[in-house]
Amino acid sequence: MASRPAFGQTGGQGLIMANSLPTILLVDDEEHSLAAMRMALEDEFDILTALNAGDARELMEEHFVQVIFCDHRMPGTTGVEFLTEVRERWPETVRIIITGYTETGDMISAINDAGIYQFLTKPWHPDHLMMVAKNATDLFRLTRDYDRMSLEMRYLSRSVEAKLEEQRKALREGMGFETVLRAANSPLNAVIEQARQFATFDVPVMITGENGTGKRNLARAMHYSSLRSDKPYFEFDCASVDDDILEIELFGARRGALSGITSHKTGLFQKADRGTLYLSGVCSLSARLQLLLLRAARDGAFRPVGSHEMRHAQVRLLTGTERNLRIEVAEGRFNAELYFALSKAGLTVPPLRERQGDLPVLAQTFLFEMAEQHGKPVSGLSDDALQFLSEYDWPGNMRELENEVLRMLIFSQDALLGPELISRHILQAIPTKDVEPETAVDRVLIGTGTLKDRVEQIEMRILRETLTRLKWNKSRAAAELGLSRVGLRAKIERYGLVERKRHDDATTSEEK
């Protein structure tokens, strides 16, 4: 019996059999890259390959393609240009770009134009490639189920409406609050519960927190849990951007408005119409930009640079700031009207030092993601390494933690990463649960107290760091510190330092 056309089939794409494997199109100008991707995916998917955008376009017209993996740097038509065309002609196809380059600023704009689902960096790992492919085909299936059920809603009872909402929820949760990493009893749970409530109300929300605490992830989760989840989402960092550039990025510009602008530029407010725009670093806006943003936030009105006509957009604004804008308003550094326009609701994200229970989850997750990205297999972080990491206050929050875990991965020789890989300033830090913040190293140096007490605090930290770094080899530690073994032992006993036994090392420090 001949197969019937798949639901929603459009254009020149072929038919899909009910029992066929999902079809994935691989586009890369390097044949060995195509062969490697085909080998990783062909057991689970029907694979098509093309060496350029022209061949890929012909395959799209002849076959029913659910997912495209496309290289970015190709002769002639680039990957982003081709995927932008695919978005217009075959919008259902999930688009993924692969590149060995990471020009973040340029790629963010390009990814938004092409509606790219995911950005995959080279070199990729076969397991990671397979996981991305499966997630993409699941997203394709859920989206088509949602479209099909939307049509059925015209004829079926309200019970179908409940089922449709379940499908939409499953689609949203793939990018929603479940992606925010945290422990079961995390202080972040209360913030996320508030964010869930705010997400369902179409109001501006201001998210306050130190740099690197995850404000952007929270904003993205709010969008995908809102009624605008199927509409555009854009984000932009306003910090340290020149006023002229920032105005163009937000509101657009007409051709010839400034030197170098040879065509009309669409601003983020116009792109995000009926969707969500997240602006971080709003505390750094100049007085002039604050007034322009006030008009857009309050009235939805803006004027592109060089234009004499006002435009309007229905945009939900989410904003991020690392400073308390109430204080900024009180001291006259931030426009009060803008503050109240942006903060109909507010969230405060706690810093990592107040979320120590989350640190093992974050550190292990970062490690496995980086290990997969760099193709270096690991089994995890040892318990004593996690203990040292948990005792540090992380002034740089998750960004600093990511950097530290990456550094440990680079220097690791064993599958299980131990505390000897941790940076010296972290090993030397006093456990935050044992001391007040005022006793941080810099505060010790410039603080009060007797010289003897302050020197002893620093000496204890140096001993603790050296012993840990050398895996409690007391002979090596004594030699490095210029002490006898007897003198080192006396200092260890004086400061109450205790070795944390490694689970994978049966040799005691005494035997060393």
Side-chain angles (χ1 to χ4, degrees), residues 286-324:
S286 67
R288 175 173 170 272
L289 263 297
Q290 289 180 35
L291 290 175
L292 294 177
L293 183 58
L294 172 61
R295 181 170 57 189
R298 184 178 56 195
D299 306 323
F302 61 94
R303 180 184 289 115
V305 176
S307 174
H308 300 290
E309 298 179 356
M310 296 294 295
R311 296 189 179 181
H312 292 80
Q314 296 180 352
V315 177
R316 184 187 190 183
L317 274 175
L318 303 177
T319 51
T321 173
E322 63 271 19
R323 298 203 295 264
N324 187 332

Side-chain angles (χ1 to χ4, degrees), residues 55-324:
D55 293 343
R57 191 179 298 111
E58 293 179 4
L59 289 171
M60 289 292 294
E61 291 172 347
E62 297 171 0
H63 299 272
F64 185 75
V65 176
Q66 286 95 318
V67 179
I68 297 179
F69 285 83
C70 185
D71 186 35
H72 175 45
R73 295 290 180 92
M74 297 189 300
T77 304
T78 68
V80 170
E81 291 170 346
F82 171 63
L83 292 181
T84 301
E85 178 185 346
V86 171
R87 183 184 193 182
E88 296 173 358
R89 297 186 60 184
W90 302 284
E92 288 183 327
T93 302
V94 180
R95 300 164 295 279
I96 299 168
I97 198 162
I98 304 177
T99 182
Y101 302 86
T102 55
E103 304 91 346
T104 306
D106 295 338
M107 288 305 300
I108 286 176
S109 176
I111 287 172
N112 286 328
D113 291 341
I116 292 171
Y117 164 66
Q118 191 157 348
F119 185 93
L120 196 63
T121 56
K122 295 180 180 178
W124 44 264
H125 189 275
D127 291 341
H128 187 208
L129 186 72
M130 177 64 74
M131 180 186 68
V132 172
K134 288 182 176 180
N135 289 342
T137 54
D138 286 345
L139 176 64
F140 179 90
R141 175 180 53 80
L142 285 170
T143 302
R144 287 175 63 81
D145 286 348
Y146 167 72
D147 292 338
R148 174 178 55 79
M149 294 180 69
S150 295
L151 292 177
E152 293 175 351
M153 282 293 295
R154 300 176 185 178
Y155 311 105
L156 302 180
S157 65
R158 291 186 177 181
S159 61
V160 177
E161 183 176 359
K163 186 176 181 181
L164 170 62
E165 181 55 33
E166 289 180 6
Q167 295 284 346
R168 295 181 63 188
K169 181 180 179 181
L171 181 62
R172 291 196 302 263
E173 286 183 351
M175 304 177 187
F177 292 106
E178 299 309 314
T179 63
V180 181
L181 294 174
R182 61 196 187 279
N185 58 348
S186 171
L188 197 59
N189 289 342
V191 179
I192 288 179
E193 285 307 309
Q194 285 185 309
R196 287 185 191 275
Q197 296 296 320
F198 294 151
T200 59
F201 286 81
D202 202 14
V203 297
V205 180
M206 180 173 289
I207 307 173
T208 304
E210 296 177 8
N211 286 328
T213 51
K215 299 187 293 293
R216 181 177 62 179
N217 292 340
L218 194 60
R220 186 183 297 112
M222 289 180 66
H223 167 74
Y224 286 108
S225 300
S226 73
L227 297 176
R228 298 183 182 230
S229 61
D230 57 341
K231 299 299 188 295
Y233 171 77
F234 293 89
E235 52 191 39
F236 189 81
D237 186 1
C238 301
S240 304
V241 179
D242 181 79
D243 271 16
D244 291 338
I245 297 176
L246 183 55
E247 184 177 359
I248 292 173
E249 289 292 336
L250 294 180
F251 308 119
R254 288 183 59 83
R255 181 177 55 204
L258 295 174
S259 61
I261 299 181
T262 58
S263 61
H264 296 312
K265 179 174 177 59
T266 303
L268 289 173
F269 268 86
Q270 186 174 343
K271 291 180 180 179
D273 189 20
R274 299 188 298 161
T276 304
L277 175 59
Y278 171 64
L279 299 177
S280 59
V282 292
C283 53
S284 64
L285 291 175
S286 67
R288 175 173 170 272
L289 263 297
Q290 289 180 35
L291 290 175
L292 294 177
L293 183 58
L294 172 61
R295 181 170 57 189
R298 184 178 56 195
D299 306 323
F302 61 94
R303 180 184 289 115
V305 176
S307 174
H308 300 290
E309 298 179 356
M310 296 294 295
R311 296 189 179 181
H312 292 80
Q314 296 180 352
V315 177
R316 184 187 190 183
L317 274 175
L318 303 177
T319 51
T321 173
E322 63 271 19
R323 298 203 295 264
N324 187 332

